[in-house]
Every structure is written in C-alpha cells, then in structure tokens.
Amino acid sequence: MVTKELDKRIRVLREQIEYHDHRYYVLDDPEITDGEYDLLFDELVEIEKNYPDLLRPDSPTQRVAGQASGKFESVEHARPMLSLEKCTSTTDLLNWSKRNQDLLDIAIDEYVCEPKIDGVAVSLVYRDGTLVQGATRGDGTVGEDITANVRTIRSIPLKLRGKGIPSLVEIRGEVYIPLEEFYEYNNRAIELGEKPMVNPRNGAAGSLRQIDPRVTDSRPLSMYCYSLGNASNDFAPLTHQDALDAFQYWGCRINSRVTTVKGLDACSSYIEEILEQRSSLPYEIDGVVIKVNDLITQRNLGNLSRRPRWAIAYKYPPEEATTSLIGIDFQVGRTGVLTPVARLEPVQVGGVTVSNATLHNIDEIERLELKIGSRIVIRRAGDIIPQVVRVIEHGETAVRLPDVCPACETAVIRLEDEVALRCPNGMQCPAQLKESIRHFASRNAFDITGLGDKLVAQLVDGERIRNPLDLFGLTVEELAELERLGEKSAANIVQSIQESKSTTFGKFIHALGIRGIGESTALTLASRFQTLAALVDAKQETLESLEDVGPILASNICTFFSNEDNRTVAFGLVERGVEWPIEELVHDRPCEGQTWVLTGTLSTMPRQEAKANLVKLGAKVAGSVSKKTSVVVAGAEAGSKLAKAIELEVPILNEEEFLEFLEDPATRS
Ligand code: IVH
C-alpha cells in the first residue's frame, strides 16, 4: 500500500535531484558533493523499484530508459528549422542590416549577439512543462525523433520549473561536446583500444544518432538553448532576449556570453572580443550569430527559402588548411601504446605554423587511407594538437607499421581485440619511463614542481632514474651539475620531492599509472581500501563491484599488482616515507550485506548523515520496509514503516539506540 509519507518523500527526492541537476549541469555551480547526490538518487531508485506504480517517465531516474529503438521515427517540425546566411566582414554585416532596414523602412537598433557553437541543432518540445519530444533538424522540415537520446543529456531539463510555463513551447539549441570532455573521452577511448571521435561536432552528431540511449548516455553531451520554435498563445515574448531569459528561468541552459547590444559597432566589438577568446573557450565555435532582438521586427522581416532575414552568422577564419604528408613517426606513450604522428610540410593555420599532427591510433591511418605524399586537410582548433581531417589527393607510398619500439627496439605486440600497437617493455623502455615519471610528478599525482620534460629526459637518458623510486634519492648536488640547472632550482626540486611524500591515497593510486585508472576511479579505490596492502590484496570480484570500476579496470588493477616491479615501486614508495592520512578507518564493514531503513525524524542528525554513516559501514539503505530489511531506525513521528517493521518482526532501533550503535558498530550482533 502506498502511503502519503512515501508519496511525499518521492516528491521531495525528485525535486531535490532536479534542483541539484540544474545547479550542476546548467549553472555549473553544485551545492552538494557527488556522494551526497548519490545518496538522494539511490534512495529514489530504491523506492521506485519497490513501488513501480509510483514510477513516472519524467522522474530524474528515468533519463536512460526504454529499449534500443532500431530506427528513428520522422517528425515534422511545426516551424521549419532554418540555416543562416553567412558573412565574413563588417561590410557584409552593414549591408545585411541596411537591407533589412530598407525593407521595412525602420531603424533596427537592437541585436542579440551569440557564440555560434559548432555542434548539432536540436529541437525540444515541452508540453505543460514536460519534455515530450527531441528532434534533429533533418532537412529543416522533417527531422528524426531522438527523444530517448536527448533525455540522457543532463543539462536538458525533463521538466521546466517556475511560473508561466506555456502549454506548448519548442526550445531550440545546439547540442555539443565540451572540449575538455572531448579530450578526456578520446584519451580513454584510445587507451581502451576503441575508436576516438574525429572532432567534437562529429562526436555530438554520432552520439545523438545512437539507437541505444545507453550509448548516448555514456557520451559527454551538453546543450545551449538559443531560440524559440513553436509556442502556444500563452507564451508571447516581445524580444528574443526575453524568450532566452524565460528559458533560463525555466531551467534551460543559456550561454553566458549571449548579450543584447545597441548598434552595429557594438556587434563588431562583440565579434572581435569572441574571436580573441576563441582559443580559450571551453567549446568549439565557428563564428558568432547576430540576431534582430525585437520579435515583431523578426516576423516582419520573415524568411527567405532556407534562412531568416533577421539573423546572420559571422564566420571566423577556418581552422583548417591543406598540406602534404611527409611521413609518419610513432611516439611511445606512458602505457607503451605507439601513437602515429603525421609529419607535415609546414603550413599556416590560424596564424600558427604547423608541422606535426596527431593521428590518434593506427586505425586512423587505415580509415583515412593515408599514404606518404598525400595532400591532406589538417585542423587546428584552439589549443588542440592539430589533427588530420581528411585526404584530398592520395599519395603513393604506403605507411609501414613498425615491428619494433622506436625508443627501445623491443618487438611490438598487438593485443587481441585492441587497435593499438604496444611496446611491452614497460619501464625498461626509456620513452615509457619518461612518460611515467612525468605522470608521477604531475599535479594530480605527486605534484612535484620544477621537474620539467627536459630534466626528466636528462635523468632518464643519463640512467639516473630507472623508476619513480629513484626520484627520492636525487640530491641537490647531482641535479645542480646538470646543464641549465642552478643550485637554487635544484634545491627547490629536491625540497618539492621531499614534500610530495605527504600525499593522499587517491593521488598515490593515480600516480602509479594503472591503465585506465584516472583521478576519479583512484579516489573510489582510495576511499574503499585506505591502505596499499588492502588494495594490492583486493580480489577481482571485489574491485568489479565498485562503482565506476567494472571488469576491464578491475582486471587492469589485478594485472598491475601481479607484476613484481610494480609492487616493488608501490611498496618502495611507502618504505621511503610516502604517507597519507587514513580516513577514520572502518576495520571491517559490520553491516555488509544488510539493508537498513530510516524512518521518522532524527533529532541529532540529518537523514543524509545517518545514511552516509550506514553506507560507510557497508549497509544498503532502502526507502521501504520488506521481509528482507535487516534493521529499521525509527525516529520521532515514525509512521507506516514502523508499523510494517513491527508487523514483519524486523529489528527496530530508536534514535538513542542508533547513536549508540554508531559509536561502536562492531558490538552489535
Ligand atoms: S540560430 C534561424 N543561434 O548554426 C536560426 N544557430 O548555420 C537558426 N548554431 O543550424 C539558428 N549556434 O545549428 C543559431 N547561437 C546560435 C547558434 C546557431 C550554433 C548553429 C545551428 C544552426 C546553424 C546555422
């Protein structure tokens, strides 16, 4: 039977989760930790599991729902999704505006200036505030129904919030992949031997067209809303900016660089400003869009066949150029993967001379059908390493893949079901050793300052460093003897190395450089195991069961520690005095396998804290009482759950007993 209390709890949880999703994904300003968020989310999942009747499609737990569709249905756009006229000079811009003013015979003064994000145009339809349809632009008239996929994008609200929500509103915008996430995704894909994305825009388009929404969910998509499509009569903003403000108020994500300005000079300044910022923006843009702000003027200007008169795209110079491929070298990374690097006839791209471009992995050579001597298009966006985009004229000479590692001449291997070629020589390979030391010293690992690439190369090539342990034996004198290093810098480096010994277990694990273990997984492992011995002894099954670990990473961890050299380094660090604070150590997890239920109000601690305490002890905390419940904690005004616990003879603790238990959990039998 569903109680009022349960109904209320569900409502509160959903509201809180939506609120925190908005803070995190839309405002980029979270208020609670990921752990606290997970507690809320898990509680809601648990209740909905036990009471399927209470499940709603717009529940925040239902973002990834439904089956792989097989294909996308067609949807007709209520109003066509148009493209934009393009221009590349202020003269073009002046002409555009003059034409418009002449056409209507009025002065048009107010414009909205927006970055033109390089992603994929998407339409979102909200009925009574609930997201009911997501669609691609398609040919502008008919697009594809990608509702299940857009629902997985956390910056898109499943429900609009606030007042004045119209019965129907179509909000349009750009779905894209932020640059940082793009690199992260590609690095991981390459590391796992999967295919990287060609560029963020391609990645966004491909991710939206997945037939299985779970795949889309695994892609780092985000969205900026930029215009109003169809709407019912109860939404009639006067200006474009008003529409955007309403969207933002209802919880949609609007680019903070969108500005309303007066006059074309201000538009020109905006164009210059954004161009200056281009390389440091966290997303790719190919220009800015200038729009007439007043919506009645927009309507009066109307559309040409495929583009509106009231907006124009100012396109920035392309970040692509054509050149010739002179050769391909192979670089050895930290984990031994050989990455092909294209050597190019030097060429100017966006004001910089480029003579190398990355090729991600050897599959790229096949995919692009690269041959030496080919004419190719390269692309350099922002601070990214230039990429080879496509071949425009094929060369003659086939690319030979190396048989041996270019750094240590060990025969390379290609693991089954992996794309990558690897040098299996580990830290015996100078290239891998250099990369490992750089990683070890990096900011989110041992955070050693002053240990630059050149110095690392000198130390490795001079055979002074054979593994990270050797760093701790470096002396000021020997460092000072090296070229270009004074006594003072040498002393600073040695001091930084000594100071790095007090660290955290998370940074320590990250520093070890286990394949696929990034910062966040390292943290999960750290808080679960606390000591090196516990981590080294962890069974594959235990590791697999941890959040964001899974079978591949679990096996990587086991393989890593089954290697004697790796164990020597790890334990050797501890012997050399590396240490970290142990969080309030929970020796064993006395509540492992138990399910607890909290009900009523606890006067001395918030429910979240009570829950966190139980989770730390290994318990699962559920939202409802069943025969499987191990213990119910009943605070003040406990109602139906308490009654059910009594009925099912589940052990019950009152607040005082619960606090006593928390003080000494191991004593409870
Ligand atoms: S307005 C009729 N605003 O650019 C209005 N478009 O070439 C059409 N785009 O398909 C869209 N950022 O995918 C608009 N701030 C922005 C935009 C933007 C990116 C894309 C959009 C559209 C293409 C037009």
Side-chain angles (χ1 to χ4, degrees):
M1 196 184 62
V2 177
T3 63
K4 259 197 195 147
E5 192 192 342
L6 200 58
D7 235 2
K8 185 165 160 226
R9 182 70 193 144
I10 287 197
R11 217 172 43 239
V12 169
L13 283 171
R14 285 182 186 156
E15 267 168 26
Q16 287 187 344
I17 292 167
E18 280 160 11
Y19 173 80
H20 292 299
D21 276 346
H22 181 251
R23 301 246 18 147
Y24 189 94
Y25 294 105
V26 177
L27 304 180
D28 198 13
D29 183 21
E31 266 177 11
I32 58 173
T33 64
D34 291 359
E36 286 165 334
Y37 178 89
D38 290 347
L39 289 180
L40 294 171
F41 200 87
D42 293 348
E43 185 182 346
L44 182 57
V45 169
E46 184 71 25
I47 304 181
E48 287 176 341
K49 198 172 85 195
N50 292 331
Y51 296 89
D53 288 355
L54 299 180
L55 206 59
R56 302 266 176 285
D58 59 2
S59 168
T61 60
Q62 300 304 297
R63 282 194 173 266
V64 192
Q67 297 294 308
S69 60
K71 71 176 180 68
F72 301 107
E73 299 294 329
S74 295
V75 280
E76 193 163 335
H77 299 299
R79 295 183 189 184
M81 286 181 81
L82 302 167
S83 61
L84 291 167
E85 177 177 344
K86 297 173 183 63
C87 74
T88 48
S89 71
T90 14
T91 324
D92 294 344
L93 196 65
L94 285 173
N95 289 339
W96 165 74
S97 134
K98 186 166 178 330
R99 240 183 334 181
N100 283 342
Q101 307 196 51
D102 288 350
L103 187 72
L104 298 186
D105 201 16
I106 56 164
I108 302 174
D109 199 34
E110 248 184 35
Y111 295 95
V112 181
C113 304
E114 308 175 356
K116 186 168 184 295
I117 313 272
D118 214 359
V120 181
V122 162
S123 136
L124 306 172
V125 177
Y126 288 90
R127 266 186 207 285
D128 296 318
T130 298
L131 177 68
V132 293
Q133 182 185 284
T136 59
R137 175 167 175 266
D139 64 4
T141 313
V142 177
E144 285 177 318
D145 186 333
I146 50 162
T147 312
N149 288 347
V150 299
R151 287 172 60 94
T152 67
I153 302 173
R154 302 302 192 275
S155 51
I156 297 179
L158 295 180
K159 275 196 310 195
L160 301 178
R161 27 194 288 136
K163 298 201 184 81
I165 294 167
S167 54
L168 176 84
V169 62
E170 182 196 357
I171 299 174
R172 293 175 178 174
E174 199 83 350
V175 168
Y176 71 99
I177 297 183
L179 282 172
E180 207 179 310
E181 276 92 333
F182 169 76
Y183 299 134
E184 224 166 72
Y185 179 91
N186 270 4
N187 287 339
R188 204 175 160 92
I190 291 162
E191 182 77 23
L192 296 173
E194 289 166 5
K195 218 174 148 176
M197 296 170 175
V198 176
N199 59 42
R201 195 184 60 76
N202 242 303
S207 304
L208 281 178
R209 296 201 76 263
Q210 292 293 328
I211 49 167
D212 185 346
R214 282 172 302 188
V215 178
T216 312
D217 185 44
S218 72
R219 305 287 171 83
L221 298 170
S222 192
M223 181 174 187
Y224 279 124
C225 299
Y226 58 57
S227 78
L228 170 65
N230 193 21
S232 47
N233 291 337
D234 48 353
F235 183 54
L238 292 177
T239 65
H240 174 65
Q241 182 69 61
D242 286 348
L244 297 184
D245 289 346
F247 300 161
Q248 185 158 38
Y249 163 68
W250 292 331
C252 294
R253 193 152 167 269
I254 307 291
N255 192 312
S256 62
R257 288 184 169 76
V258 171
T259 357
T260 300
V261 301
K262 279 202 194 305
L264 285 178
D265 283 348
C267 293
S268 299
S269 309
Y270 182 87
I271 290 168
E272 274 169 33
E273 259 166 49
I274 297 291
L275 180 57
E276 268 167 31
Q277 298 171 11
R278 187 182 193 185
S279 65
S280 54
L281 292 177
Y283 38 78
E284 280 200 343
I285 59 168
D286 56 352
V288 303
V289 185
I290 313 284
K291 300 174 181 174
V292 171
N293 192 22
D294 184 66
L295 290 180
I296 294 177
T297 312
Q298 277 196 11
R299 204 179 57 208
N300 291 340
L301 284 169
N303 303 327
L304 293 165
S305 68
R306 300 188 58 80
R307 57 178 187 79
R309 285 199 187 83
W310 47 262
I312 191 162
Y314 186 102
K315 298 272 275 188
Y316 289 142
E319 296 179 304
E320 290 185 357
T322 306
T323 185
S324 295
L325 180 69
I326 307 174
I328 290 184
D329 289 348
F330 288 83
Q331 272 176 2
V332 188
R334 176 164 60 84
T335 56
V337 173
L338 269 59
T339 308
V341 177
R343 301 284 173 228
L344 314 169
E345 189 82 55
V347 63
Q348 289 275 316
V349 196
V352 173
T353 307
V354 170
S355 42
N356 299 315
T358 175
L359 281 162
H360 297 303
N361 61 33
I362 51 178
D363 253 16
E364 283 284 282
I365 301 176
E366 281 161 35
R367 193 181 66 79
L368 295 161
E369 296 178 31
L370 271 185
K371 294 213 168 113
I372 312 298
S374 298
R375 292 290 292 169
I376 56 176
V377 174
I378 61 151
R379 179 186 172 82
R380 177 191 159 271
D383 299 330
I384 324 179
I385 305 162
Q387 327 254 319
V388 177
V389 185
R390 61 182 175 273
V391 173
I392 45 175
E393 214 180 280
H394 287 286
E396 295 289 317
T397 320
V399 177
R400 243 185 73 88
L401 297 183
D403 305 319
V404 298
C405 168
C408 69
E409 298 187 350
T410 307
V412 295
I413 51 168
R414 189 170 190 166
L415 296 182
E416 220 180 305
D417 68 282
E418 265 201 356
V419 178
L421 288 177
R422 269 178 205 279
C423 163
N425 204 9
M427 291 214 209
Q428 313 302 319
C429 165
Q432 286 178 66
L433 179 56
K434 284 174 199 167
E435 290 300 318
S436 299
I437 298 290
R438 279 163 56 169
H439 172 77
F440 185 88
S442 66
R443 203 155 63 82
N444 296 319
F446 269 70
D447 194 13
I448 299 170
T449 42
L451 206 61
D453 294 355
K454 286 215 181 91
L455 181 56
V456 171
Q458 267 180 308
L459 291 168
V460 169
D461 293 338
E463 295 185 17
R464 178 57 192 92
I465 284 186
R466 288 181 193 82
N467 64 38
L469 290 178
D470 291 338
L471 285 172
F472 296 91
L474 288 175
T475 62
V476 177
E477 295 72 40
E478 64 181 315
L479 280 179
E481 263 175 38
L482 292 172
E483 275 176 85
R484 279 183 301 224
L485 206 64
E487 184 95 12
K488 182 110 197 303
S489 331
N492 286 344
I493 294 171
V494 170
Q495 191 188 348
S496 179
I497 292 173
Q498 293 311 317
E499 283 170 1
S500 77
K501 287 181 181 172
S502 330
T503 183
T504 64
F505 193 31
K507 288 185 168 190
F508 176 92
I509 298 171
H510 183 223
L512 293 178
I514 306 168
R515 272 175 67 191
I517 306 295
E519 249 181 288
S520 99
T521 321
L523 274 179
T524 306
L525 293 169
S527 76
R528 173 65 178 83
F529 295 104
Q530 310 260 353
T531 67
L532 179 59
L535 175 63
V536 172
D537 290 342
K539 299 246 170 4
Q540 165 109 10
E541 305 86 75
T542 317
L543 292 165
E544 262 179 46
S545 69
L546 294 178
E547 202 171 330
D548 58 72
V549 177
I552 296 178
L553 294 184
S555 137
N556 287 356
I557 297 166
C558 292
T559 312
F560 183 89
F561 287 118
S562 66
N563 175 308
E564 203 182 318
D565 290 344
N566 291 336
R567 283 203 309 272
T568 305
V569 168
F571 285 107
L573 288 167
V574 176
E575 277 160 27
R576 277 164 186 68
V578 171
E579 55 179 10
W580 52 86
I582 305 275
E583 275 175 36
E584 206 183 304
L585 192 58
V586 179
H587 284 288
D588 47 4
R589 293 163 38 100
C591 303
E592 191 87 65
Q594 299 180 359
T595 306
W596 286 55
V597 173
L598 297 165
T599 182
T601 320
L602 299 176
S603 60
T604 47
M605 84 174 62
R607 192 181 279 225
Q608 292 307 336
E609 192 183 324
K611 188 165 177 183
N613 279 322
L614 286 169
V615 170
K616 231 190 261 165
L617 298 171
K620 247 179 68 178
V621 178
S624 57
V625 179
S626 74
K627 270 194 288 201
K628 292 200 187 111
T629 310
S630 320
V631 182
V632 168
V633 177
E637 290 169 57
S640 60
K641 285 186 208 171
L642 177 59
K644 184 124 189 223
I646 295 169
E647 183 194 321
L648 297 175
E649 297 181 9
V650 173
I652 298 163
L653 297 183
N654 64 24
E655 179 162 359
E656 201 179 321
E657 290 163 334
F658 177 55
L659 294 175
E660 247 166 52
F661 161 75
L662 286 183
E663 253 168 40
D664 194 4
T667 57
R668 191 175 175 274
S669 55

